[in-house]
Amino acid sequence: MSKESFELLADWLQALSLSDEPAGNELRIRLRSRLLAYWASFPTPDTSGDRVPLRISQQRRRRRELDYQLTKEEFVETLALLGPDIDETTESCLRAIADKAPAFLAPAASLPPRSC
């Protein structure tokens, strides 16, 4: 996705959030389905026997637990911008990022505040 396309998508999702669009927005739900299908297309890594030398930083080791495509800023931000249409599966994806690559959850945490 081009940078301009992502910015347009993010702006649209932010506008939905700021306008208090309730859960059930058809396009947002379809987007969620595509994001979750993308997440599912990456195998869950088996780290049970994976030994990483101590000289490698913990942050680098954590990022290896998730494919780098799943920790890209645009993907994480788009998941978080689903707002009221975040379901249990989407939440578990965000929790997996928080557990396995917490530094890469920053785009979700730095979203603009909602207006009162």
Side-chain angles (χ1 to χ4, degrees), residues 32-70:
R32 179 186 68 202
S33 296
R34 292 192 68 180
L35 291 169
L36 294 176
Y38 182 75
W39 177 276
S41 72
F42 293 93
T44 305
D46 178 20
T47 57
S48 58
D50 192 13
R51 309 251 330 151
V52 177
L54 292 176
R55 68 182 183 274
I56 297 177
S57 74
Q58 187 171 353
Q59 180 179 1
R60 183 171 169 195
R61 183 176 70 219
R62 282 187 176 163
R63 185 166 184 163
R64 273 186 25 166
E65 292 178 20
L66 288 176
D67 190 282
Y68 77 96
Q69 296 289 341
L70 298 177

mmCIF file of all heavy atoms in Angstrom, residues 32-70:
data_model
loop_
_atom_site.group_PDB
_atom_site.id
_atom_site.type_symbol
_atom_site.label_atom_id
_atom_site.label_comp_id
_atom_site.label_asym_id
_atom_site.label_seq_id
_atom_site.Cartn_x
_atom_site.Cartn_y
_atom_site.Cartn_z
ATOM 1 N N ARG A 32 -11.416 -5.055 8.840
ATOM 2 C CA ARG A 32 -10.977 -5.920 9.945
ATOM 3 C C ARG A 32 -10.771 -7.350 9.454
ATOM 4 O O ARG A 32 -9.755 -7.975 9.765
ATOM 5 C CB ARG A 32 -11.996 -5.891 11.080
ATOM 6 C CG ARG A 32 -11.605 -6.789 12.254
ATOM 7 C CD ARG A 32 -12.689 -6.861 13.295
ATOM 8 N NE ARG A 32 -13.837 -7.578 12.752
ATOM 9 C CZ ARG A 32 -15.075 -7.468 13.221
ATOM 10 N NH1 ARG A 32 -15.338 -6.672 14.244
ATOM 11 N NH2 ARG A 32 -16.055 -8.152 12.686
ATOM 12 N N SER A 33 -11.694 -7.852 8.655
ATOM 13 C CA SER A 33 -11.568 -9.209 8.120
ATOM 14 C C SER A 33 -10.303 -9.366 7.284
ATOM 15 O O SER A 33 -9.599 -10.372 7.384
ATOM 16 C CB SER A 33 -12.789 -9.569 7.277
ATOM 17 O OG SER A 33 -13.933 -9.595 8.074
ATOM 18 N N ARG A 34 -10.011 -8.367 6.480
ATOM 19 C CA ARG A 34 -8.797 -8.431 5.645
ATOM 20 C C ARG A 34 -7.540 -8.360 6.496
ATOM 21 O O ARG A 34 -6.559 -9.051 6.229
ATOM 22 C CB ARG A 34 -8.811 -7.309 4.615
ATOM 23 C CG ARG A 34 -9.925 -7.541 3.585
ATOM 24 C CD ARG A 34 -9.825 -6.665 2.421
ATOM 25 N NE ARG A 34 -8.632 -7.044 1.658
ATOM 26 C CZ ARG A 34 -8.266 -6.444 0.545
ATOM 27 N NH1 ARG A 34 -8.992 -5.468 0.073
ATOM 28 N NH2 ARG A 34 -7.185 -6.816 -0.094
ATOM 29 N N LEU A 35 -7.556 -7.513 7.526
ATOM 30 C CA LEU A 35 -6.389 -7.410 8.417
ATOM 31 C C LEU A 35 -6.156 -8.725 9.162
ATOM 32 O O LEU A 35 -5.015 -9.173 9.301
ATOM 33 C CB LEU A 35 -6.573 -6.258 9.413
ATOM 34 C CG LEU A 35 -6.542 -4.848 8.823
ATOM 35 C CD1 LEU A 35 -6.997 -3.831 9.868
ATOM 36 C CD2 LEU A 35 -5.164 -4.501 8.297
ATOM 37 N N LEU A 36 -7.232 -9.340 9.620
ATOM 38 C CA LEU A 36 -7.100 -10.605 10.349
ATOM 39 C C LEU A 36 -6.656 -11.734 9.420
ATOM 40 O O LEU A 36 -5.883 -12.612 9.827
ATOM 41 C CB LEU A 36 -8.399 -10.955 11.063
ATOM 42 C CG LEU A 36 -8.787 -9.997 12.200
ATOM 43 C CD1 LEU A 36 -10.140 -10.377 12.782
ATOM 44 C CD2 LEU A 36 -7.712 -9.948 13.278
ATOM 45 N N ALA A 37 -7.101 -11.714 8.182
ATOM 46 C CA ALA A 37 -6.640 -12.712 7.208
ATOM 47 C C ALA A 37 -5.151 -12.529 6.940
ATOM 48 O O ALA A 37 -4.402 -13.510 6.829
ATOM 49 C CB ALA A 37 -7.444 -12.598 5.914
ATOM 50 N N TYR A 38 -4.717 -11.285 6.878
ATOM 51 C CA TYR A 38 -3.298 -10.992 6.689
ATOM 52 C C TYR A 38 -2.499 -11.524 7.878
ATOM 53 O O TYR A 38 -1.473 -12.174 7.717
ATOM 54 C CB TYR A 38 -3.110 -9.483 6.525
ATOM 55 C CG TYR A 38 -1.694 -9.048 6.282
ATOM 56 C CD1 TYR A 38 -1.093 -9.236 5.041
ATOM 57 C CD2 TYR A 38 -0.960 -8.436 7.288
ATOM 58 C CE1 TYR A 38 0.206 -8.825 4.807
ATOM 59 C CE2 TYR A 38 0.347 -8.019 7.062
ATOM 60 C CZ TYR A 38 0.924 -8.217 5.825
ATOM 61 O OH TYR A 38 2.213 -7.815 5.603
ATOM 62 N N TRP A 39 -2.977 -11.265 9.089
ATOM 63 C CA TRP A 39 -2.326 -11.760 10.309
ATOM 64 C C TRP A 39 -2.216 -13.283 10.253
ATOM 65 O O TRP A 39 -1.161 -13.852 10.542
ATOM 66 C CB TRP A 39 -3.118 -11.313 11.536
ATOM 67 C CG TRP A 39 -2.568 -11.826 12.830
ATOM 68 C CD1 TRP A 39 -2.806 -13.056 13.401
ATOM 69 C CD2 TRP A 39 -1.691 -11.152 13.724
ATOM 70 N NE1 TRP A 39 -2.133 -13.162 14.585
ATOM 71 C CE2 TRP A 39 -1.441 -12.017 14.813
ATOM 72 C CE3 TRP A 39 -1.093 -9.887 13.721
ATOM 73 C CZ2 TRP A 39 -0.628 -11.668 15.879
ATOM 74 C CZ3 TRP A 39 -0.280 -9.536 14.792
ATOM 75 C CH2 TRP A 39 -0.049 -10.412 15.851
ATOM 76 N N ALA A 40 -3.294 -13.938 9.880
ATOM 77 C CA ALA A 40 -3.330 -15.401 9.857
ATOM 78 C C ALA A 40 -2.437 -15.990 8.766
ATOM 79 O O ALA A 40 -2.089 -17.173 8.837
ATOM 80 C CB ALA A 40 -4.767 -15.878 9.667
ATOM 81 N N SER A 41 -2.053 -15.190 7.785
ATOM 82 C CA SER A 41 -1.212 -15.704 6.707
ATOM 83 C C SER A 41 0.232 -15.926 7.137
ATOM 84 O O SER A 41 1.006 -16.530 6.402
ATOM 85 C CB SER A 41 -1.260 -14.764 5.501
ATOM 86 O OG SER A 41 -0.559 -13.562 5.763
ATOM 87 N N PHE A 42 0.589 -15.444 8.326
ATOM 88 C CA PHE A 42 1.942 -15.636 8.841
ATOM 89 C C PHE A 42 1.918 -16.741 9.883
ATOM 90 O O PHE A 42 1.089 -16.721 10.794
ATOM 91 C CB PHE A 42 2.479 -14.339 9.459
ATOM 92 C CG PHE A 42 2.701 -13.273 8.435
ATOM 93 C CD1 PHE A 42 1.708 -12.350 8.156
ATOM 94 C CD2 PHE A 42 3.888 -13.208 7.733
ATOM 95 C CE1 PHE A 42 1.897 -11.375 7.199
ATOM 96 C CE2 PHE A 42 4.091 -12.233 6.767
ATOM 97 C CZ PHE A 42 3.096 -11.315 6.499
ATOM 98 N N PRO A 43 2.825 -17.708 9.754
ATOM 99 C CA PRO A 43 2.825 -18.815 10.715
ATOM 100 C C PRO A 43 3.215 -18.334 12.101
ATOM 101 O O PRO A 43 4.001 -17.401 12.248
ATOM 102 C CB PRO A 43 3.866 -19.781 10.157
ATOM 103 C CG PRO A 43 4.753 -18.932 9.306
ATOM 104 C CD PRO A 43 3.889 -17.812 8.782
ATOM 105 N N THR A 44 2.633 -18.986 13.099
ATOM 106 C CA THR A 44 3.011 -18.695 14.475
ATOM 107 C C THR A 44 4.371 -19.329 14.714
ATOM 108 O O THR A 44 4.533 -20.527 14.500
ATOM 109 C CB THR A 44 1.982 -19.276 15.460
ATOM 110 O OG1 THR A 44 0.707 -18.781 15.113
ATOM 111 C CG2 THR A 44 2.321 -18.903 16.882
ATOM 112 N N PRO A 45 5.346 -18.536 15.123
ATOM 113 C CA PRO A 45 6.683 -19.103 15.294
ATOM 114 C C PRO A 45 6.750 -20.064 16.467
ATOM 115 O O PRO A 45 6.092 -19.866 17.483
ATOM 116 C CB PRO A 45 7.562 -17.873 15.545
ATOM 117 C CG PRO A 45 6.630 -16.856 16.092
ATOM 118 C CD PRO A 45 5.283 -17.139 15.478
ATOM 119 N N ASP A 46 7.525 -21.113 16.305
ATOM 120 C CA ASP A 46 7.765 -22.062 17.387
ATOM 121 C C ASP A 46 9.096 -21.692 18.017
ATOM 122 O O ASP A 46 10.154 -21.928 17.433
ATOM 123 C CB ASP A 46 7.802 -23.493 16.858
ATOM 124 C CG ASP A 46 8.107 -24.499 17.955
ATOM 125 O OD1 ASP A 46 7.922 -24.162 19.139
ATOM 126 O OD2 ASP A 46 8.532 -25.617 17.611
ATOM 127 N N THR A 47 9.034 -21.093 19.178
ATOM 128 C CA THR A 47 10.253 -20.643 19.841
ATOM 129 C C THR A 47 10.630 -21.549 21.002
ATOM 130 O O THR A 47 11.498 -21.214 21.785
ATOM 131 C CB THR A 47 10.079 -19.192 20.353
ATOM 132 O OG1 THR A 47 8.949 -19.156 21.223
ATOM 133 C CG2 THR A 47 9.879 -18.227 19.208
ATOM 134 N N SER A 48 9.987 -22.709 21.102
ATOM 135 C CA SER A 48 10.244 -23.592 22.239
ATOM 136 C C SER A 48 11.700 -24.035 22.318
ATOM 137 O O SER A 48 12.265 -24.116 23.390
ATOM 138 C CB SER A 48 9.323 -24.808 22.182
ATOM 139 O OG SER A 48 9.515 -25.500 20.968
ATOM 140 N N GLY A 49 12.332 -24.331 21.189
ATOM 141 C CA GLY A 49 13.710 -24.780 21.224
ATOM 142 C C GLY A 49 14.676 -23.749 20.677
ATOM 143 O O GLY A 49 15.850 -24.022 20.486
ATOM 144 N N ASP A 50 14.191 -22.569 20.426
ATOM 145 C CA ASP A 50 15.003 -21.512 19.840
ATOM 146 C C ASP A 50 15.832 -20.837 20.919
ATOM 147 O O ASP A 50 15.310 -20.178 21.796
ATOM 148 C CB ASP A 50 14.084 -20.492 19.162
ATOM 149 C CG ASP A 50 14.831 -19.510 18.291
ATOM 150 O OD1 ASP A 50 16.014 -19.758 18.009
ATOM 151 O OD2 ASP A 50 14.202 -18.510 17.901
ATOM 152 N N ARG A 51 17.129 -20.986 20.846
ATOM 153 C CA ARG A 51 18.021 -20.358 21.807
ATOM 154 C C ARG A 51 18.710 -19.201 21.115
ATOM 155 O O ARG A 51 19.334 -19.370 20.078
ATOM 156 C CB ARG A 51 19.043 -21.352 22.323
ATOM 157 C CG ARG A 51 18.424 -22.618 22.817
ATOM 158 C CD ARG A 51 18.389 -22.934 24.212
ATOM 159 N NE ARG A 51 19.354 -22.508 25.128
ATOM 160 C CZ ARG A 51 19.024 -22.328 26.388
ATOM 161 N NH1 ARG A 51 17.790 -22.499 26.774
ATOM 162 N NH2 ARG A 51 19.917 -21.977 27.260
ATOM 163 N N VAL A 52 18.595 -18.045 21.705
ATOM 164 C CA VAL A 52 19.206 -16.846 21.151
ATOM 165 C C VAL A 52 20.406 -16.496 22.018
ATOM 166 O O VAL A 52 20.290 -16.460 23.246
ATOM 167 C CB VAL A 52 18.190 -15.676 21.133
ATOM 168 C CG1 VAL A 52 18.841 -14.414 20.630
ATOM 169 C CG2 VAL A 52 16.991 -16.048 20.290
ATOM 170 N N PRO A 53 21.571 -16.242 21.425
ATOM 171 C CA PRO A 53 22.738 -15.866 22.227
ATOM 172 C C PRO A 53 22.440 -14.643 23.079
ATOM 173 O O PRO A 53 21.715 -13.738 22.678
ATOM 174 C CB PRO A 53 23.805 -15.554 21.169
ATOM 175 C CG PRO A 53 23.341 -16.230 19.928
ATOM 176 C CD PRO A 53 21.842 -16.291 20.006
ATOM 177 N N LEU A 54 23.024 -14.603 24.268
ATOM 178 C CA LEU A 54 22.768 -13.509 25.200
ATOM 179 C C LEU A 54 23.220 -12.160 24.659
ATOM 180 O O LEU A 54 22.703 -11.135 25.057
ATOM 181 C CB LEU A 54 23.443 -13.791 26.538
ATOM 182 C CG LEU A 54 22.846 -14.946 27.330
ATOM 183 C CD1 LEU A 54 23.657 -15.184 28.602
ATOM 184 C CD2 LEU A 54 21.395 -14.685 27.675
ATOM 185 N N ARG A 55 24.182 -12.144 23.746
ATOM 186 C CA ARG A 55 24.679 -10.858 23.239
ATOM 187 C C ARG A 55 23.654 -10.136 22.363
ATOM 188 O O ARG A 55 23.784 -8.966 22.093
ATOM 189 C CB ARG A 55 25.985 -11.051 22.489
ATOM 190 C CG ARG A 55 25.843 -11.810 21.201
ATOM 191 C CD ARG A 55 27.196 -11.999 20.531
ATOM 192 N NE ARG A 55 27.040 -12.669 19.270
ATOM 193 C CZ ARG A 55 26.987 -13.978 19.092
ATOM 194 N NH1 ARG A 55 27.091 -14.770 20.135
ATOM 195 N NH2 ARG A 55 26.840 -14.487 17.889
ATOM 196 N N ILE A 56 22.643 -10.849 21.906
ATOM 197 C CA ILE A 56 21.589 -10.220 21.102
ATOM 198 C C ILE A 56 20.584 -9.580 22.050
ATOM 199 O O ILE A 56 20.139 -10.197 23.002
ATOM 200 C CB ILE A 56 20.900 -11.250 20.183
ATOM 201 C CG1 ILE A 56 21.919 -11.804 19.193
ATOM 202 C CG2 ILE A 56 19.725 -10.613 19.449
ATOM 203 C CD1 ILE A 56 21.367 -12.875 18.295
ATOM 204 N N SER A 57 20.253 -8.356 21.776
ATOM 205 C CA SER A 57 19.356 -7.629 22.677
ATOM 206 C C SER A 57 17.987 -8.302 22.767
ATOM 207 O O SER A 57 17.537 -8.961 21.845
ATOM 208 C CB SER A 57 19.184 -6.185 22.207
ATOM 209 O OG SER A 57 18.368 -6.149 21.073
ATOM 210 N N GLN A 58 17.342 -8.091 23.898
ATOM 211 C CA GLN A 58 16.019 -8.683 24.113
ATOM 212 C C GLN A 58 15.008 -8.122 23.125
ATOM 213 O O GLN A 58 14.156 -8.837 22.634
ATOM 214 C CB GLN A 58 15.567 -8.419 25.544
ATOM 215 C CG GLN A 58 14.293 -9.144 25.898
ATOM 216 C CD GLN A 58 13.990 -9.055 27.365
ATOM 217 O OE1 GLN A 58 14.791 -8.563 28.146
ATOM 218 N NE2 GLN A 58 12.838 -9.528 27.757
ATOM 219 N N GLN A 59 15.114 -6.831 22.788
ATOM 220 C CA GLN A 59 14.172 -6.237 21.841
ATOM 221 C C GLN A 59 14.291 -6.919 20.485
ATOM 222 O O GLN A 59 13.286 -7.240 19.860
ATOM 223 C CB GLN A 59 14.431 -4.745 21.693
ATOM 224 C CG GLN A 59 13.480 -4.076 20.712
ATOM 225 C CD GLN A 59 13.738 -2.604 20.585
ATOM 226 O OE1 GLN A 59 14.632 -2.070 21.209
ATOM 227 N NE2 GLN A 59 12.964 -1.940 19.763
ATOM 228 N N ARG A 60 15.500 -7.160 20.044
ATOM 229 C CA ARG A 60 15.683 -7.818 18.750
ATOM 230 C C ARG A 60 15.124 -9.232 18.789
ATOM 231 O O ARG A 60 14.484 -9.676 17.858
ATOM 232 C CB ARG A 60 17.164 -7.835 18.391
ATOM 233 C CG ARG A 60 17.423 -8.427 17.037
ATOM 234 C CD ARG A 60 18.843 -8.225 16.650
ATOM 235 N NE ARG A 60 19.130 -9.017 15.467
ATOM 236 C CZ ARG A 60 20.326 -9.286 15.040
ATOM 237 N NH1 ARG A 60 21.370 -8.806 15.683
ATOM 238 N NH2 ARG A 60 20.501 -10.020 13.974
ATOM 239 N N ARG A 61 15.352 -9.935 19.893
ATOM 240 C CA ARG A 61 14.839 -11.293 20.022
ATOM 241 C C ARG A 61 13.322 -11.274 20.018
ATOM 242 O O ARG A 61 12.678 -12.091 19.383
ATOM 243 C CB ARG A 61 15.363 -11.937 21.311
ATOM 244 C CG ARG A 61 14.905 -13.379 21.441
ATOM 245 C CD ARG A 61 15.484 -14.053 22.649
ATOM 246 N NE ARG A 61 14.895 -13.490 23.835
ATOM 247 C CZ ARG A 61 15.558 -13.238 24.959
ATOM 248 N NH1 ARG A 61 16.837 -13.475 25.049
ATOM 249 N NH2 ARG A 61 14.949 -12.735 26.003
ATOM 250 N N ARG A 62 12.717 -10.329 20.706
ATOM 251 C CA ARG A 62 11.258 -10.251 20.736
ATOM 252 C C ARG A 62 10.681 -10.003 19.358
ATOM 253 O O ARG A 62 9.677 -10.555 18.994
ATOM 254 C CB ARG A 62 10.802 -9.150 21.690
ATOM 255 C CG ARG A 62 10.884 -9.553 23.118
ATOM 256 C CD ARG A 62 10.263 -8.489 23.959
ATOM 257 N NE ARG A 62 10.260 -8.905 25.343
ATOM 258 C CZ ARG A 62 10.097 -8.096 26.349
ATOM 259 N NH1 ARG A 62 9.919 -6.818 26.139
ATOM 260 N NH2 ARG A 62 10.105 -8.540 27.573
ATOM 261 N N ARG A 63 11.302 -9.142 18.592
ATOM 262 C CA ARG A 63 10.757 -8.848 17.270
ATOM 263 C C ARG A 63 10.785 -10.103 16.398
ATOM 264 O O ARG A 63 9.920 -10.298 15.569
ATOM 265 C CB ARG A 63 11.519 -7.719 16.601
ATOM 266 C CG ARG A 63 10.856 -7.362 15.274
ATOM 267 C CD ARG A 63 11.330 -6.091 14.718
ATOM 268 N NE ARG A 63 10.563 -5.814 13.508
ATOM 269 C CZ ARG A 63 10.485 -4.669 12.939
ATOM 270 N NH1 ARG A 63 11.109 -3.657 13.463
ATOM 271 N NH2 ARG A 63 9.790 -4.495 11.854
ATOM 272 N N ARG A 64 11.763 -10.950 16.584
ATOM 273 C CA ARG A 64 11.847 -12.183 15.799
ATOM 274 C C ARG A 64 10.663 -13.095 16.055
ATOM 275 O O ARG A 64 10.335 -13.923 15.228
ATOM 276 C CB ARG A 64 13.123 -12.941 16.142
ATOM 277 C CG ARG A 64 14.299 -12.518 15.354
ATOM 278 C CD ARG A 64 15.476 -13.375 15.622
ATOM 279 N NE ARG A 64 15.087 -14.708 16.085
ATOM 280 C CZ ARG A 64 15.882 -15.723 16.140
ATOM 281 N NH1 ARG A 64 17.114 -15.596 15.756
ATOM 282 N NH2 ARG A 64 15.474 -16.890 16.574
ATOM 283 N N GLU A 65 10.028 -12.982 17.202
ATOM 284 C CA GLU A 65 8.897 -13.846 17.525
ATOM 285 C C GLU A 65 7.692 -13.555 16.633
ATOM 286 O O GLU A 65 6.841 -14.412 16.461
ATOM 287 C CB GLU A 65 8.512 -13.716 18.995
ATOM 288 C CG GLU A 65 9.575 -14.273 19.922
ATOM 289 C CD GLU A 65 9.217 -14.105 21.370
ATOM 290 O OE1 GLU A 65 8.025 -13.908 21.678
ATOM 291 O OE2 GLU A 65 10.119 -14.156 22.199
ATOM 292 N N LEU A 66 7.611 -12.369 16.105
ATOM 293 C CA LEU A 66 6.550 -12.002 15.160
ATOM 294 C C LEU A 66 7.208 -11.588 13.849
ATOM 295 O O LEU A 66 8.233 -10.925 13.849
ATOM 296 C CB LEU A 66 5.729 -10.821 15.683
ATOM 297 C CG LEU A 66 4.801 -11.074 16.846
ATOM 298 C CD1 LEU A 66 4.161 -9.772 17.285
ATOM 299 C CD2 LEU A 66 3.739 -12.082 16.484
ATOM 300 N N ASP A 67 6.606 -11.964 12.746
ATOM 301 C CA ASP A 67 7.126 -11.551 11.455
ATOM 302 C C ASP A 67 7.162 -10.023 11.399
ATOM 303 O O ASP A 67 6.257 -9.352 11.899
ATOM 304 C CB ASP A 67 6.221 -12.101 10.347
ATOM 305 C CG ASP A 67 6.831 -11.914 8.989
ATOM 306 O OD1 ASP A 67 6.776 -10.770 8.476
ATOM 307 O OD2 ASP A 67 7.362 -12.894 8.451
ATOM 308 N N TYR A 68 8.188 -9.495 10.791
ATOM 309 C CA TYR A 68 8.329 -8.041 10.751
ATOM 310 C C TYR A 68 7.148 -7.364 10.068
ATOM 311 O O TYR A 68 6.826 -6.208 10.356
ATOM 312 C CB TYR A 68 9.656 -7.634 10.100
ATOM 313 C CG TYR A 68 9.681 -7.740 8.596
ATOM 314 C CD1 TYR A 68 9.429 -6.614 7.813
ATOM 315 C CD2 TYR A 68 9.941 -8.942 7.949
ATOM 316 C CE1 TYR A 68 9.435 -6.698 6.440
ATOM 317 C CE2 TYR A 68 9.957 -9.032 6.575
ATOM 318 C CZ TYR A 68 9.708 -7.901 5.828
ATOM 319 O OH TYR A 68 9.709 -7.983 4.464
ATOM 320 N N GLN A 69 6.457 -8.072 9.166
ATOM 321 C CA GLN A 69 5.290 -7.491 8.500
ATOM 322 C C GLN A 69 4.162 -7.208 9.496
ATOM 323 O O GLN A 69 3.360 -6.306 9.295
ATOM 324 C CB GLN A 69 4.771 -8.431 7.402
ATOM 325 C CG GLN A 69 5.745 -8.649 6.272
ATOM 326 C CD GLN A 69 5.920 -7.417 5.398
ATOM 327 O OE1 GLN A 69 5.103 -6.508 5.396
ATOM 328 N NE2 GLN A 69 6.998 -7.388 4.661
ATOM 329 N N LEU A 70 4.112 -7.989 10.572
ATOM 330 C CA LEU A 70 3.053 -7.823 11.574
ATOM 331 C C LEU A 70 3.364 -6.719 12.574
ATOM 332 O O LEU A 70 2.493 -6.325 13.342
ATOM 333 C CB LEU A 70 2.809 -9.144 12.308
ATOM 334 C CG LEU A 70 2.342 -10.295 11.424
ATOM 335 C CD1 LEU A 70 2.211 -11.567 12.247
ATOM 336 C CD2 LEU A 70 1.031 -9.964 10.735
#
